Amino acid sequence: NLPYDLERDLVPITGVAYVPDVLVMNPGVPAATLKDFIAHCRANPGKVNYGSSGVGTSRHLAGEIFNAMTGAAMVHVPYKGSGPANAALLAGEISVIFEGLGSSAPYLRSGKFRALGLAAAKRSPAFADIPTIAEAGLPGFESQSWYGLWAPAGVSRDLATRIQAEVARAFEAPDMKEAWSRQGAEPGGENGETFARYVRAEVEKWGKVVRANNISLD
């Protein structure tokens, strides 16, 4: 029951950042690779838990797609945000979570989490040793968080174009590139038409997952 319509009431300006999800595991889980983990899930249907930052979040939906593509039959455990979900994984209350690469970075670097695969089309330069989930044995699996800029409907095309151009210019600055890279993020800056096509594709993709699994917000 949103008080606005995304396409009617807002004008897409540009994407800001695209942060791939990474499937991370508690090191105590008896699996060394993604294929091992899938086999472990299949051998223990309904006994392997995955956490998320809440019902209906992209990380919840990523788990549902993973279940559908692999037959893993993992059980979803929602938490009130990424912080509690990460804490639960550290404590071994859950086996895995899909989490943003930036949020997982400190745990991955310290060895507290083990990465099974990056849910992106290509590896991240900041974590080049983490294979994509496709490389690890599950082709076609991609999931990422993304951020963008919109303006109210009725904004002039000239102003929208100017804002997009300024954002794109800012993202060319070396310090911005470095900041995005440390988070494992890809900067946006594309034009409004390109961004709008991406948003429509995302709405269609995740809408199918929501409907197929009868997911609703609490």
Side-chain angles (χ1 to χ4, degrees):
N1 298 316
L2 292 175
Y4 62 87
D5 181 278
L6 183 64
E7 294 199 31
R8 182 192 66 213
D9 300 327
L10 297 172
V11 175
I13 302 295
T14 187
V16 172
Y18 299 87
V19 186
D21 288 339
V22 60
L23 178 58
V24 291
M25 180 178 68
N26 181 289
V29 177
T33 66
L34 180 66
K35 289 183 177 179
D36 289 342
F37 178 70
I38 293 171
H40 172 65
C41 291
R42 289 173 176 168
N44 298 276
K47 297 180 180 179
V48 178
N49 296 333
Y50 81 96
S52 79
S53 52
V55 173
T57 60
S58 62
R59 281 70 186 261
H60 171 200
L61 303 184
E64 295 301 334
I65 289 183
F66 186 84
N67 276 341
M69 292 179 68
T70 64
M74 296 187 299
V75 177
H76 176 231
V77 181
Y79 292 86
K80 294 182 178 180
S82 290
N86 284 319
L89 187 63
L90 283 169
E93 295 174 9
I94 51 177
S95 296
V96 294
I97 57 173
F98 285 94
E99 185 56 274
L101 184 56
S103 301
S104 293
Y107 302 105
L108 292 170
R109 291 183 175 123
S110 66
K112 293 179 179 178
F113 289 171
R114 183 189 302 165
L116 290 173
L118 188 68
K122 59 182 180 180
R123 296 194 184 200
S124 167
F127 292 89
D129 59 324
I130 300 177
T132 67
I133 288 179
E135 289 176 322
L138 188 59
F141 188 97
E142 293 185 24
S143 172
Q144 65 180 357
S145 296
W146 51 269
Y147 308 86
L149 289 178
W150 282 261
V155 65
S156 73
R157 179 177 292 272
D158 287 345
L159 179 56
T161 300
R162 179 183 173 188
I163 295 172
Q164 178 271 324
E166 290 295 326
V167 170
R169 184 175 65 84
F171 286 165
E172 288 300 315
D175 58 339
M176 287 292 291
K177 288 184 176 181
E178 173 62 21
W180 255 223
S181 178
R182 286 198 305 270
Q183 297 297 319
E186 291 284 340
E190 68 272 36
N191 63 49
E193 289 79 10
T194 299
F195 180 49
R197 286 195 297 272
Y198 176 79
V199 172
R200 284 194 293 269
E202 285 286 277
V203 169
E204 181 178 359
K205 172 183 175 178
W206 297 111
K208 290 179 179 178
V209 179
V210 169
R211 290 187 293 273
N213 293 278
N214 196 29
I215 296 169
S216 61
L217 296 178
D218 294 334

